[in-house]
């Protein structure tokens, strides 16, 4: 009953008219963002960060969460109709989804993905409700040394398990850590990496980094893509899947729910990796794997279920440990900090209204997603016809105004544009901004926890090994670093 009381009270928070409205707004915005190729949830949340200053904390996080999981379904529409993934997590959906569309079954593909998204999301929310308090209770034993190891583990996993090159990700993480040190030393007050200007003494605001690297960079990249020829639109047809489609998809939806939930918790995992893993799993267990790539409905159901389950479960490490599992969660972490809320193990007890309000809003948001997705597909298809030349300048204007309102500083606007150009160039040469932003977010936690630990251990770095949880986390770091080398040596030995 002790567990159920705050959970039930959380529904009372969600059903307040204001919070319901923001939940609906977030889910709708998320679907629209997913439909528009390029402008993903991380960029949208980054662009909206300044606006959330004026919204009550619980309502603003409910809205931003709705954008995240709503975008997972929205991206499916362009993947199926245009073979143009609106989100990275819907890339594999394009393989079979668009083939189904070419066969005149676009509606069935979109209908199955809506049902899979609802089931995957709901399973993950139930598991989140049960697991999150346990993880938070366990994390209450964490001290500075444990957080040092955990921050290191989070950065390492995002660089090794992400979708890009590990070496490039590691380089980006290093740049993120350097950017996190810009400003005055929190203990000594010494200026660090300020380039001699007083404007950087307070450090670089997270909002500027997020809006520049995600918002402006994505818009510039999208404008460049206008030169490429478009893909003809396919007719949608009936959005209600047949009984045969449902029968063939039920196993994929069940497996995608479990796989997505587990991979979503893992730092570096998230929706993209979950959808790819689910596609590979379905192809592996299929009786006729040769159908994949030619319009297999399981190739749509599995990934779409998994990416929504992962989008939900990735809130567990963020809310209970204060560790973002992916780039979008890093931006969400910033959104919580903007509201004066530090996510972590004490959040469940200190802010139960916010914690359970946000978690329970996902039940409502998932229902709204299912209710709106199929009837509104025609509307979202029309949205696809909005010219990027109209959308891009409008978004840039909102971004510039937003960043100016943070500190009423024109310097911040120039800094954001500079970071946006940097993010655009990074994208051109294959460097992902996610590891940079994640390392930037975790940099402060890593530095403060490490320095506090060294004070506790009297400057003896071996003190980390005397703490059981820290030692286990450090052993995991060593294992992750050493395992690829061992596997490579083993392959060379076998080849010889």
């Amino acid at each position: 009953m002790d567990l159920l009381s705050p959970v039930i009270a959380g529904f009372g928070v969600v059903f307040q008219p204001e919070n319901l409205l923001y939940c609906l707004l977030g889910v709708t915005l998320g679907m629209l963002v997913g439909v528009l190729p390029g402008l993903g949830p991380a960029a949208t949340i980054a662009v909206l960060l300044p606006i959330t200053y004026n919204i009550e904390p619980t309502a603003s996080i409910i809205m931003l969460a709705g954008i995240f999981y709503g975008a997972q379904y929205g991206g499916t529409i362009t993947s199926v109709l245009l073979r143009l993934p609106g989100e990275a997590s819907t890339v594999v959906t394009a393989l079979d989804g668009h083939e189904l569309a070419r066969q005149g079954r676009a509606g069935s593909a979109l209908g199955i993905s809506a049902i899979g998204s609802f089931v995957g999301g709901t399973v993950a929310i139930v598991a989140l409700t049960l697991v999150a308090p346990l993880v938070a209770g366990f994390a209450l034993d964490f001290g500075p040394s444990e957080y040092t190891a955990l921050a290191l583990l989070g950065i390492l996993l995002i660089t090794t398990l992400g979708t890009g090159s590990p070496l490039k990700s590691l380089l980006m993480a290093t740049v993120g850590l350097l950017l996190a040190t810009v400003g005055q030393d929190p203990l000594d007050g010494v200026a660090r990496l300020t380039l001699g200007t007083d404007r950087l003494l307070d450090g670089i605001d997270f909002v500027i980094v997020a809006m520049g690297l995600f918002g402006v960079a994505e818009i510039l990249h999208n404008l460049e893509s206008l030169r490429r020829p478009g893909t003809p639109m396919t007719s949608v047809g009936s959005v209600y899947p047949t009984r045969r489609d449902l029968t063939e998809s039920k196993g994929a939806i069940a497996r995608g729910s479990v796989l997505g939930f587990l991979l979503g918790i893992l730092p570096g995992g998230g929706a993209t990796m979950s959808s790819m893993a689910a596609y590979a799993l379905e192809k592996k267990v299929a009786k006729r794997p040769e159908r994949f790539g030619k319009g297999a409905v399981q190739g749509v159901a599995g990934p779409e279920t998994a990416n929504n389950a992962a989008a939900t479960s990735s809130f567990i490490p963020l809310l209970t440990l204060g560790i973002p599992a992916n780039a979008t969660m890093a931006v969400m972490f910033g959104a919580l900090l903007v509201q004066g809320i530090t996510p972590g193990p004490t959040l469940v007890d200190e802010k139960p209204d916010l914690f359970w309000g946000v978690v329970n809003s996902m039940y409502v948001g998932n229902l709204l997603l299912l209710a709106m997705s199929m009837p509104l597909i025609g509307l979202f298809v029309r949205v696809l016809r909005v010219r990027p030349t109209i959308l891009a300048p409008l978004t840039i204007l909102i971004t510039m105004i937003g960043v100016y309102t943070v500190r009423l500083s024109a310097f911040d606007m120039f800094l954001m544009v500079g970071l946006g150009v940097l993010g655009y160039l990074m994208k051109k040469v294959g460097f992902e901004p996610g590891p940079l932003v994640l390392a930037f977010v975790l940099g402060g936690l890593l530095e403060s926890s490490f320095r506090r630990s060294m004070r506790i251990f009297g400057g003896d770095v071996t003190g980390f090994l005397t703490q059981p949880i820290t030692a286990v986390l450090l052993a995991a770091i060593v294992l992750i670093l050493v395992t690829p080398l061992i596997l490579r040596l083993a392959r060379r030995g076998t080849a010889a």
Side-chain angles (χ1 to χ4, degrees):
M1 194 63 191
D2 288 336
L3 172 65
L4 286 179
S5 299
V7 176
I8 294 168
F11 279 109
V13 175
V14 179
F15 286 114
Q16 290 173 12
E18 182 188 11
N19 291 334
L20 273 178
L21 182 64
Y22 278 108
C23 185
L24 175 64
L25 183 63
V27 170
T28 309
L29 268 176
M31 293 179 75
L32 284 170
V33 164
V35 166
L36 296 169
L39 193 65
T44 306
I45 293 171
V47 169
L48 291 177
L49 277 179
I51 297 173
T52 60
Y53 280 125
N54 301 316
I55 304 174
E56 194 271 330
T58 303
S60 68
I61 303 303
I62 284 174
M63 181 183 72
L64 297 180
I67 290 173
F68 183 38
Y69 55 78
Q72 305 308 318
Y73 178 73
T76 310
I77 297 174
T78 50
S79 288
V80 171
L81 297 181
L82 299 176
R83 200 183 173 86
L84 186 63
E87 290 302 310
S89 59
T90 59
V91 167
V92 290
T93 305
L95 299 177
D96 284 282
H98 190 64
E99 282 302 316
L100 285 168
R102 291 179 63 183
Q103 296 165 19
R105 299 175 62 202
S108 291
L110 293 171
I112 278 293
S113 66
I115 293 170
S117 297
F118 172 74
V119 174
T122 304
V123 169
I125 300 164
V126 172
L128 169 64
T129 304
L130 297 173
V131 171
L134 301 177
V135 177
F138 172 72
L140 284 173
D141 294 332
F142 280 28
S145 67
E146 286 79 9
Y147 273 109
T148 303
L150 194 63
L152 273 176
L153 182 62
I155 294 171
L156 181 64
L157 283 172
I158 198 79
T159 56
T160 55
L161 297 180
T163 53
S165 158
L167 189 61
K168 289 180 177 177
S169 297
L170 194 62
L171 184 60
M172 287 296 95
T174 306
V175 175
L177 288 174
L178 282 174
L179 286 177
T181 62
V182 173
Q184 284 183 311
D185 183 300
L187 297 181
D188 304 329
V190 177
R192 304 183 302 191
L193 302 175
T194 57
L195 306 176
T197 173
D198 294 343
R199 296 179 187 278
L200 288 174
L201 278 178
D202 292 333
I204 303 175
D205 195 284
F206 172 80
V207 173
I208 297 169
V209 175
M211 292 177 79
L213 290 178
F214 285 111
V216 177
E218 287 293 338
I219 294 164
L220 292 176
H221 186 261
N222 291 342
L223 285 175
E224 185 188 48
S225 66
L226 290 177
R227 291 183 299 176
R228 298 170 196 156
T231 307
M233 190 87 70
T234 311
S235 64
V236 177
S238 172
V239 295
Y240 297 99
T242 63
R243 182 173 292 182
R244 182 181 174 185
D245 289 335
L246 290 171
T247 304
E248 289 182 345
S249 304
K250 61 183 180 184
I253 290 174
R255 287 184 289 273
S257 299
V258 176
L259 188 67
F261 175 79
L262 294 176
L263 289 181
I265 297 173
L266 199 65
T272 303
M273 176 177 281
S274 302
S275 62
M276 292 180 177
Y279 188 84
L281 176 64
E282 290 312 313
K283 194 172 180 180
K284 188 83 175 172
V285 303
K287 292 178 181 175
R288 295 177 58 194
E290 69 276 7
R291 287 179 57 200
F292 279 72
K294 299 174 183 173
V297 72
Q298 300 95 323
V300 174
E304 285 303 308
T305 305
N307 65 26
N308 262 63
T312 302
S313 64
S314 60
F315 278 89
I316 293 179
L318 174 70
L319 295 177
T320 59
L321 299 174
I323 301 293
N326 50 55
T328 309
M329 285 297 105
V331 184
M332 194 70 78
F333 184 97
L336 285 161
L337 294 182
V338 163
Q339 293 285 354
I341 298 160
T342 305
T346 58
L347 185 65
V348 182
D349 293 326
E350 291 180 356
K351 302 276 186 184
D353 288 353
L354 182 140
F355 183 88
W356 291 112
V358 171
V359 171
N360 291 347
S361 74
M362 297 180 193
Y363 288 105
V364 178
N366 231 20
L367 279 170
L368 291 173
L369 194 64
L370 181 68
M372 293 195 304
S373 56
M374 289 193 271
L376 294 183
I377 280 175
L379 174 66
F380 291 128
V381 168
R382 289 193 192 96
V383 171
L384 276 169
R385 298 192 174 98
V386 176
R387 290 183 182 179
T389 47
I390 298 173
L391 196 65
L394 192 63
T395 312
I396 285 279
L397 180 65
I398 294 170
T399 306
M400 297 289 279
I401 294 171
V403 79
Y404 181 75
T405 58
V406 175
R407 294 193 291 199
L408 302 180
S409 166
F411 176 77
D412 288 349
M413 295 166 69
F414 288 114
L415 187 58
M416 180 196 69
V417 171
L419 286 168
V421 173
L422 174 67
Y424 166 74
L425 294 175
M426 284 164 45
K427 209 173 177 78
K428 292 278 286 180
V429 292
F431 286 91
E432 294 183 2
L436 190 158
V437 175
L438 189 73
F440 181 81
V441 167
L442 291 179
L445 174 68
L446 179 63
E447 181 184 2
S448 62
S449 300
F450 178 75
R451 293 174 75 168
R452 286 168 61 196
S453 301
M454 292 304 286
R455 283 189 173 187
I456 293 170
F457 300 141
D460 182 6
V461 74
T462 60
F464 284 95
L465 301 177
T466 63
Q467 308 300 308
I469 298 175
T470 308
V472 170
L473 292 170
L474 291 175
I477 291 172
V478 173
L479 192 65
I480 292 167
L481 288 173
V482 171
T483 300
L485 295 174
I486 294 174
L487 291 175
R488 196 174 303 167
L489 290 174
R491 278 197 293 269
R492 283 183 184 174
T494 306

